[in-house]
Amino acid sequence: MPKKMHLNAFEMNCVGHLAHGLWRHPDNTRHRYTDITYWTELAQLLERGKFDALFLADVVGVYDVYKQGDETALRESVQIPCNDPFFVVPPMALVTKHLGFAVTSSTTYEHPFGHARRMSTLDHLTKGRIAWNVVTSYLPSAARNFVLEHMVRHDERYEIAEEYMDVSYKLWEGSWEDDAVIRDVQKQIYTDPDKVHFIHHEGKYFKVPGPHLSQPSLQRTPVIYQAGTSARGRAFAAKHAEAVFLGGGTVDRLRQYGEDIRRQARAFGRNPEHIKLFAGVATIVGRTKEEAQRKYEEYARLYSVEGVLAHYGGGSGYDLSAYDPEDDLEYVETDHGQTSAAQFTKHSPKKLKVREVVKTLGTIGGRGLFVVGTAEEVADRLQYWVEEAGIDGFNVSQFLSPGTLQDFVELVVPELQKRKLFRENYEETTLRERLFGKGTVQLPEGHPGSVYRRTTTTSLT
Ligand SMILES: Cc1cc2nc3c(=O)[nH]c(=O)nc-3n(C[C@H](O)[C@H](O)[C@H](O)COP(=O)(O)O)c2cc1C
């Protein structure tokens, strides 16, 4: 029996997520992202398509590296304007029963105590369908707006993230016992004080005594997603992530990253099968090859090279407008996203001139897994990539909203189901069960967060 794949829709609470320039297409409704029904309609579409979850990216800064300013990002709507991803989850949860939601927040700019309550709140409201995409961020403009002169150095951001996770696990797993809330009207006790515990966290970056403010939710700890695949990012993923959104773009690179993360997870004493690996994929699907090709040509005419270069500049730290096109693009360590910086430099199979990188970036699908074709052709590629790269599924992005995902749900999902490569019905209830099977509602043994689980009145310190 072939392995069933997992599918997330890859989205962002903004107009220009990845397909820069496509906001001008007459069938694109992304400008409706500020309308609550834009999100409830998307959630119902994805639930009809039996998707695992909606994965919401987020950044808390403006892309101002390219041409040393934010003009291009603003003109081209490159992830600005951009709203908070947390607030679109409750209305989507209200109109769905199974779809999961992964929200991105930064360990560099959010405080763990307040963040832990926001995540517990969403886990309650979604009845255990929430995941957290843990990022350390990469935009200097974010640092400046969060009272830092400069970005925290790349690897130190991950050190902060490590301690951030400890504080979060202590709050989610170790502060409230399962039976702390008793609601005893006669004795006039709502919560048994002996069953709610301080966490007394004192570390290099955070001092959080606790207790957690929220009572235990179904999953307690949200499903932990992670998306940074630099060397330091992969080590962090191997220790904490239950699902990893791999960057890197080629089948070989995806396989190498995945094997490395699973090897390191084993060294941490984790079961490598407790980590699902996802790759980003862009698809243009037609009922016929001709229809798919026509869509591709239409989108290519609108695709904004300037917008993509502004996005790449913020992600990698490389302002390609400042280079001679005939220059070789050399790897220079920056404190931006190192996966992005490595893709066309040290991880490229051959040296690339700046003009070659600009051409690749300016071509639709130039950055990663991309397929144009009929449902059968798209399913063929997805099946090939799962087998060749050793991944478990995909984050499916959009060119037109909701057109791209409508095509995928109506045309590709039935083809995958016919091949027994994708679920025909939802079985489990919580998001963690969907990924790891019935009964795995909370963190499994072996995950670093599970050591803080308070089943009885035991001390944390
Ligand atoms: C596929 C992918 C998606 C990412 N999505 C986000 C995101 O939504 N927000 C964010 O701040 N960082 C995002 N990142 C970057 C990292 O998660 C993180 O911010 C880190 O600083 C850079 O990671 P790296 O240097 O380990 O690649 C993404 C990285 C990858 C590879």
Side-chain angles (χ1 to χ4, degrees), residues 264-281:
Q264 291 192 62
R266 197 174 288 111
F268 279 122
R270 293 186 64 195
N271 176 348
E273 291 312 307
H274 286 164
I275 302 179
K276 297 294 182 196
L277 301 174
F278 288 83
V281 67

Side-chain angles (χ1 to χ4, degrees), residues 103-171:
V103 287
T104 297
S105 58
S106 173
T107 53
T108 308
Y109 302 119
E110 301 272 354
H111 190 278
F113 185 66
H115 176 263
R117 184 174 67 155
R118 284 166 61 201
M119 293 308 303
S120 293
T121 304
L122 287 181
D123 200 43
H124 279 299
L125 294 177
T126 62
K127 291 189 171 37
R129 292 185 277 153
I130 200 70
W132 170 29
N133 176 36
V134 184
V135 298
T136 67
S137 301
Y138 50 70
L139 292 171
S141 55
R144 291 192 294 271
N145 282 300
F146 283 88
V147 199
L148 297 172
E149 267 309 294
H150 303 288
M151 258 199 303
V152 175
R153 301 305 311 270
H154 177 275
D155 284 6
E156 186 178 8
R157 294 204 301 267
Y158 276 107
E159 294 315 307
I160 295 169
E162 289 287 351
E163 186 179 333
Y164 196 111
M165 299 310 288
D166 267 354
V167 176
S168 304
Y169 297 143
K170 287 176 182 178
L171 291 168

Side-chain angles (χ1 to χ4, degrees), residues 172-192:
W172 288 324
E173 299 290 334
S175 185
W176 287 60
E177 297 184 37
D178 286 342
D179 55 354
V181 172
I182 52 179
R183 284 176 57 200
D184 186 323
V185 173
Q186 273 61 47
K187 292 183 187 161
Q188 205 173 335
I189 302 173
Y190 191 89
T191 297
D192 179 348

Side-chain angles (χ1 to χ4, degrees), residues 10 12 17 55-60 63 79 104-106 108 133-139 154 157-158 226-234 245-248 278 280 315 335-340 395:
F10 186 32
M12 191 169 184
H17 174 207
F55 182 115
L56 289 162
D58 191 38
V59 290
V60 284
Y63 288 75
Q79 300 190 6
T104 297
S105 58
S106 173
T108 308
N133 176 36
V134 184
V135 298
T136 67
S137 301
Y138 50 70
L139 292 171
H154 177 275
R157 294 204 301 267
Y158 276 107
Q226 194 269 356
T229 33
S230 62
R232 188 62 190 82
R234 296 199 302 277
F245 184 3
L246 297 170
F278 288 83
D335 282 319
H336 294 248
Q338 291 183 1
T339 305
S340 189
N395 278 5

